[in-house]
Amino acid sequence: MSTTMRDVARAAGVSVATVSHVVNDKPGARIGDDARRRVHEAVEALGYRPNALAKTLSEGSSRFIGLVADAIATTPFAGQIIHGAQDEAWRHGFVLLVANTEGNDEVENDAIAMMLEHQVRGILYSTWYHREITVPSTLQQSETVLVNCFTADDSFPAVVPDEEQGGRTATAELIAAGHRRIAFVNTTTPSPARDGRRAGYRAALVEAGIAVDEALEFDADPAQEGGYDVAAAVVDSGATGVFCHNDRVAMGLYDGLRERGVRIPEDIAVIGFDNQDVIAAHLRPPLSTVALPHYELGAAGVRTLLGLEAPPVGGRRLIDCPSVPRQSL
Amino acid sequence: MSTTMRDVARAAGVSVATVSHVVNDKPGARIGDDARRRVHEAVEALGYRPNALAKTLSEGSSRFIGLVADAIATTPFAGQIIHGAQDEAWRHGFVLLVANTEGNDEVENDAIAMMLEHQVRGILYSTWYHREITVPSTLQQSETVLVNCFTADDSFPAVVPDEEQGGRTATAELIAAGHRRIAFVNTTTPSPARDGRRAGYRAALVEAGIAVDEALEFDADPAQEGGYDVAAAVVDSGATGVFCHNDRVAMGLYDGLRERGVRIPEDIAVIGFDNQDVIAAHLRPPLSTVALPHYELGAAGVRTLLGLEAPPVGGRRLIDCPSVPRQSL
DNA sequence: ATGAAAGCGCTAACAA
DNA sequence: TTGTTAGCGCTTTCAT
């Protein structure tokens, strides 16, 4: 098979212990310059590559971190979480074991079992949209950090987006652009996003001394169709600025407004949420929005799993949703 | 630490060999019913979970497959490849080790080294868009299958989408809908997609007895902006149907056509390519398109890596791009 | 400064 | 039918 440490030792005329020491550059190891050199040469010559599995077995602790996601395929979001988690894991010498469950409980349990059998240091349990979950019982046996989700009793450390701050940011952008009559097209789906963004919207208005007017708050299906359908009502409301629950709704709203001859941003300014690149960056005009910090969620998840970041006290760590200005306001 | 096979053996009053046999349900192992039962009970009682790493080390062959991707985060496509690869890998008892390189060579080499150290059975090297590549030298040391990419000399087994068949399919849909004057908005970027889809477009026309008219072929930047900009030319061409290089171009074209009062599909039928869900399914009207078979690419990649599917003879295995009919034609 | 040897959790001959 | 034992490739303690 492949060349082992023994082969290297033999070739260098030293013991495996010596090879181990120089290969790992162990701190308190007194190795003669000569031996060290010979080992390095042998490693080169033989193309030696350490067996990480054997190392793990011997050391007793693995360098794996598990990431179970409910929807890698369906959305571009999961990709960002994976990416952030992986970068951060690598930074600390860890490797990601990724499993996609597509919401199937059985697959989920298998995935977790598989990870446990591979001695993962811990498991990141993530969802593609921010929501409350109940964690599978198997997870109790492992260090677990929730990413983009949380439990009702906050019994697991969790990392989630700060929806309220995001809503406040979006609304504040509109206010900063001079708008006072600001509509809010929220989602019909009950969720932390719905409640949080609304709270942020209202807080920003209050902060700016603008009266909250519930007649300016609309509900729409959180997709293009919802935004399109609500266009008439938004126009009728007399709003000069609209904060949309997400970019897809904004995209539909664009269509609805255009059909009515309403120009963006001259007649109505629009801001979205999610910063879904395929959409936001390429609408006409490009859509100002607020980004969901998926990359950072993944990274922060890994950090709290590894204990590099004190676990959030209240249970959930809130991650900022930054503003992404473009030309729609 | 965690409970080992020895603990189970002790608890069940048998040897580790016996435990190993019953836990793995070894075929040619004569184990008494009683012993078998006692082992199972002990496993239950102690919550024993086999250590996959030790198993691998002992067996000498790992159950890992590496997947290096150049852009997990940037597109929804990579997710599909990962998903397909993972499902197929699991089906055969393998686990995916995913690494995202974002096109960075150094990261890529580290990723490959890491995978090799983890004794992966082989590596899937994938790109988010179909293209020619040169494989990193480190990959020579491993079983490698290219996914969604290929080398100039086809020296590595590769699995790629059948662009030509896709182009033919798209065009045939338009023809089947009764169109004879069909425009093609191709990308300006040289690529297998550009050449393949054009070849397919022309082949379909010829097949239907329609003369190829190069005045009906346009080049556009492969994004919304490109589609928008080409709208005037398309309208002027007198085409009654348009095949767009991708869904994003189609999205831009929608805008351009709408501005000119041209209705879809009444005045002009449109078909896209990629089946990018966020876009295609939610345009007005929903966009008919041809899907890039990312899931299947990942799955087929795993299969050829595991030798379950004879490696493509010519070098590349072509995967079909299926039609996804909606309401734009 | 270097080496011998035990052991990580498991598998697979081979004995019994 | 079951147990003993020798590895798998590596780390690490303890001698030398």
Side-chain angles (χ1 to χ4, degrees), chain B residues 14-15 17-18 30-32 58:
Chain B
V14 299
S15 75
T18 304
R30 350 243 91 245
I31 304 286
S58 172

Side-chain angles (χ1 to χ4, degrees), chain A residues 130 163 184 186-187 189-198 245:
Chain A
H130 182 186
E163 306 281 2
F184 175 37
N186 207 350
T187 174
T189 317
S191 61
R194 176 177 151 90
D195 298 341
R197 293 175 199 177
R198 190 203 302 110
H245 178 261

Side-chain angles (χ1 to χ4, degrees), chain B:
Chain B
M1 299 240 107
S2 56
T3 86
T4 79
M5 211 159 184
R6 250 238 288 283
D7 300 329
V8 176
R10 190 157 25 221
V14 299
S15 75
V16 292
T18 304
V19 176
S20 176
H21 282 138
V22 354
V23 165
N24 295 310
D25 219 354
K26 278 282 167 190
R30 350 243 91 245
I31 304 286
D33 285 353
D34 191 51
R36 189 181 298 276
R37 191 183 42 70
R38 291 200 326 269
V39 170
H40 279 133
E41 284 173 5
V43 165
E44 272 306 300
L46 303 180
Y48 168 72
R49 203 183 280 288
N51 180 328
L53 270 32
K55 181 170 187 159
T56 292
L57 181 58
S58 172
E59 283 176 333
S61 85
S62 104
R63 312 244 71 185
F64 285 122
I65 288 178
L67 169 53
V68 359
D70 65 346
I72 281 186
T74 346
T75 76
F77 295 147
Q80 298 271 17
I81 293 181
I82 297 182
H83 190 202
Q86 198 198 248
D87 281 3
E88 191 67 26
W90 276 52
R91 198 164 296 136
H92 305 290
F94 282 79
V95 171
L96 263 204
L97 238 40
V98 180
N100 179 216
T101 67
E102 291 300 322
N104 180 326
D105 282 359
E106 202 181 336
V107 172
E108 189 168 277
N109 280 326
D110 285 359
I112 294 171
M114 170 292 265
M115 289 174 173
L116 260 19
E117 291 180 9
H118 282 86
Q119 315 300 114
V120 292
R121 177 78 127 253
I123 293 181
L124 255 35
Y125 186 89
S126 79
T127 52
W128 74 270
Y129 71 93
H130 182 187
R131 62 191 171 100
E132 179 183 325
I133 55 151
T134 63
V135 307
S137 56
T138 353
L139 271 191
Q140 316 273 155
Q141 308 170 33
S142 150
E143 284 280 296
T144 300
V145 172
L146 306 183
V147 173
N148 210 23
C149 54
F150 57 91
T151 56
D153 59 358
D154 281 321
S155 55
F156 285 84
V159 184
V160 299
D162 190 340
E163 305 281 2
E164 180 172 345
Q165 167 273 329
R168 213 178 320 115
T169 300
T171 312
E173 291 283 335
L174 252 7
I175 294 171
H179 300 277
R180 307 279 301 173
R181 193 161 177 77
I182 298 173
F184 175 36
V185 180
N186 206 351
T187 174
T188 49
T189 316
S191 60
R194 175 176 152 88
D195 298 341
R197 293 175 199 176
R198 189 201 305 108
Y201 160 75
R202 293 182 178 176
L205 292 182
V206 169
E207 229 166 74
I210 302 175
V212 171
D213 177 357
E214 297 209 8
L216 286 174
E217 296 182 14
F218 303 92
D219 281 337
D221 193 69
Q224 285 88 334
E225 293 77 1
Y228 178 79
D229 292 340
V230 87
V234 167
V235 171
D236 291 347
S237 77
T240 65
V242 196
F243 165 28
C244 294
H245 179 262
N246 68 28
D247 293 349
R248 301 171 66 201
V249 166
M251 175 173 162
L253 183 66
Y254 265 51
D255 277 356
L257 292 181
R258 184 158 25 215
E259 278 188 8
R260 290 175 173 69
V262 178
R263 294 160 308 162
I264 305 168
E266 294 81 358
D267 302 325
I268 290 191
V270 179
I271 191 163
F273 209 109
D274 286 3
N275 192 29
Q276 205 160 351
D277 202 71
V278 242
I279 293 179
H282 299 283
L283 289 178
R284 322 196 51 258
L287 177 68
S288 293
T289 189
V290 169
L292 241 15
H294 287 111
Y295 180 95
E296 191 47 40
L297 287 173
V302 167
R303 264 180 268 125
T304 98
L305 183 60
L306 294 181
L308 302 170
E309 209 162 75
V313 272
R316 313 181 203 162
R317 174 186 304 297
L318 267 32
I319 307 286
D320 253 31
C321 301
S323 165
V324 181
R326 292 205 179 86
Q327 285 80 56
S328 62
L329 49 84

Side-chain angles (χ1 to χ4, degrees), chain A residues 15 20 43 47 66 94 102 112 144 168 196 201 213 225 242 257 272 329:
Chain A
S15 74
S20 176
V43 165
F94 281 79
E102 290 301 321
I112 294 171
T144 300
R168 213 178 321 114
Y201 161 75
D213 177 358
E225 293 78 359
V242 196
L257 293 181
L329 48 84

